[in-house]
Amino acid sequence: MKNWFKELLLDIYQVTSTLFKIMIPTLLVVKLLEEMGGVELIAWVLGPVMAFVGLPESMGLVWATTLLTNIYTGMIIFFNVAQSESLTVAQVTVVGTMMLVAHTLPIEARIAQKAGVRLGVTLLIRLSSALLLGFMLHHLYAWGGWLQQPNQLLWSPSVIDSSLQAWLVSQVQSLGMILLIISLLLTTLKLLRLLHIERLLHWLLQPVLRLLGIGPTATTITIVGFTLGLAFGGGLLIKEAKAGHVPYRDVFSAMTLLALCHSVIEDTLLILLLGADISGILWMRLLFGFLVVALVSRLMNRSSEQFHRRYLVREPEAAKP
């Protein structure tokens, strides 16, 4: 038992320290960009693009905020902007789905890079997928005349303290929560392995994951990221990739799936509060994500390892001396 606890503490330290080394500098850089008007600049670029998915230019600010920061901050901006817009449920579903597919990119793309996926590929997959899925939903809802009724907000934010001190306190609390969740998560995973329940999960889910091109070594990590979030699944994947336990093909397929579909419970519930319809933010997103991963996995099987190493993957950074 003593060795079991020592291994557990070491695992917790390795995963959290890796995540914190990525998150803390990135949070500081993003905050600096916010203060210098970086969000408004990105929103200015994205404004005209919003017409491509049937949205007013003001939604560019919502998505730009979400891309740089997180879904919570994007929701606050959405609430402020939506009051001056006449949005339909279809439009809110489109922007909500785009927020779910592409958000918190400075941190989450860096986590994927640390696991071994090239940064440019991650950004390309998430941004192009968000726009493509948004485009498809916009035309699908317009074609069928679905969800064209005026949107009703189900949530309004409380008064937000925008001071630097409040931001620092919020970030410390978030990092503390990550430490707690990682500790509970790794403890649970070790217990599942001890009781051989992990093998049962692998057996039950392997047929589905095999269709997506994700091998058994990445099954548990994929489940974690799928349900809890990319940071947690990605953090575990970095650790396993560093140890050489997960083949690079599985790393790429798993991170592609988590890039498009992660934290499917919490994040989906958050976007529902904006008035979005579950058909787009959950079911269409899952279907789209599964199809993309299945296609990517098969394309990898048809291309050379030299191509993979040059354009898609790299040695996990944590594994470098």
Side-chain angles (χ1 to χ4, degrees):
M1 286 298 293
K2 184 178 179 180
N3 288 335
W4 190 86
F5 278 110
K6 286 178 66 176
E7 290 179 4
L8 175 61
L9 291 174
L10 180 60
D11 287 346
I12 292 171
Y13 169 76
Q14 289 177 339
V15 173
T16 54
S17 63
T18 298
L19 286 177
F20 286 178
K21 286 176 183 177
I22 296 172
M23 296 178 74
I24 293 174
T26 305
L27 286 169
L28 294 174
V29 171
V30 169
K31 182 61 176 176
L32 181 61
L33 285 174
E34 281 187 82
E35 296 298 321
M36 295 174 62
V39 173
E40 287 75 11
L41 177 60
I42 296 175
W44 177 76
V45 173
L46 292 177
V49 179
M50 294 296 99
F52 176 73
V53 292
L55 296 173
E57 286 193 9
S58 60
M59 290 298 105
L61 178 61
V62 175
W63 195 32
T65 303
T66 307
L67 288 174
L68 270 187
T69 57
N70 52 58
I71 289 178
Y72 294 99
T73 309
M75 289 173 66
I76 294 170
I77 301 300
F78 175 88
F79 177 80
N80 294 328
V81 172
Q83 296 185 75
S84 60
E85 297 283 357
S86 298
L87 299 172
T88 64
V89 174
Q91 287 177 308
V92 175
T93 303
V94 168
V95 71
T97 303
M98 293 172 64
M99 292 167 68
L100 289 169
V101 172
H103 60 262
T104 324
L105 291 188
I107 290 176
E108 293 187 349
R110 186 76 178 94
I111 290 173
Q113 184 185 37
K114 198 82 169 177
V117 180
R118 291 194 178 275
L119 183 63
V121 173
T122 297
L123 295 176
L124 176 64
I125 289 174
R126 296 192 68 170
L127 291 172
S128 62
S129 294
L131 288 170
L132 178 58
L133 184 53
F135 177 81
M136 293 167 59
L137 287 175
H138 163 56
H139 285 281
L140 176 65
Y141 292 144
W143 172 77
W146 298 312
L147 306 180
Q148 300 304 311
Q149 67 272 26
N151 183 62
Q152 296 292 326
L153 286 168
L154 304 179
W155 166 85
S156 61
S158 56
V159 178
I160 304 298
D161 185 351
S162 58
S163 67
L164 180 60
Q165 181 180 357
W167 179 83
L168 287 171
V169 170
S170 174
Q171 301 313 310
V172 171
Q173 290 174 341
S174 297
L175 293 173
M177 185 58 66
I178 288 173
L179 174 59
L180 175 61
I181 293 175
I182 288 291
S183 301
L184 294 174
L185 181 60
L186 288 174
T187 302
T188 302
L189 290 177
K190 276 193 167 292
L191 288 173
L192 290 178
R193 288 172 185 166
L194 191 64
L195 299 173
H196 302 293
I197 296 176
E198 187 183 39
R199 293 182 183 178
L200 176 62
L201 291 175
H202 286 182
W203 181 76
L204 290 172
L205 295 172
Q206 195 51 44
V208 176
L209 293 178
R210 188 182 300 116
L211 288 175
L212 301 179
I214 299 175
T217 54
T219 300
T220 303
I221 295 168
T222 304
I223 296 170
V224 168
F226 192 78
T227 54
L228 295 182
L230 189 146
F232 302 112
L236 297 178
L237 193 56
I238 291 171
K239 173 180 174 295
E240 295 300 305
K242 173 185 175 181
H245 296 160
V246 183
Y248 78 87
R249 289 172 181 262
D250 288 344
V251 169
F252 189 84
S253 297
M255 287 307 301
T256 300
L257 178 61
L258 296 187
L260 303 177
C261 304
H262 61 266
S263 190
V264 294
I265 300 173
E266 179 187 358
D267 287 358
T268 302
L269 290 174
L270 288 175
I271 299 301
L272 280 174
L273 294 176
L274 300 181
D277 190 80
I278 199 168
S279 63
I281 63 175
L282 181 60
W283 304 123
M284 285 296 292
R285 179 165 62 105
L286 290 178
L287 177 61
F288 181 86
F290 290 162
L291 288 175
V292 168
V293 175
L295 177 62
V296 165
S297 298
R298 280 152 182 76
L299 288 175
M300 288 191 74
N301 290 336
R302 293 175 178 271
S303 52
S304 66
E305 182 174 344
Q306 182 181 7
F307 175 83
H308 303 161
R309 298 289 184 183
R310 184 172 182 179
Y311 297 108
L312 304 180
V313 299
R314 54 185 295 173
E315 289 300 316
E317 290 189 19
K320 292 181 178 180

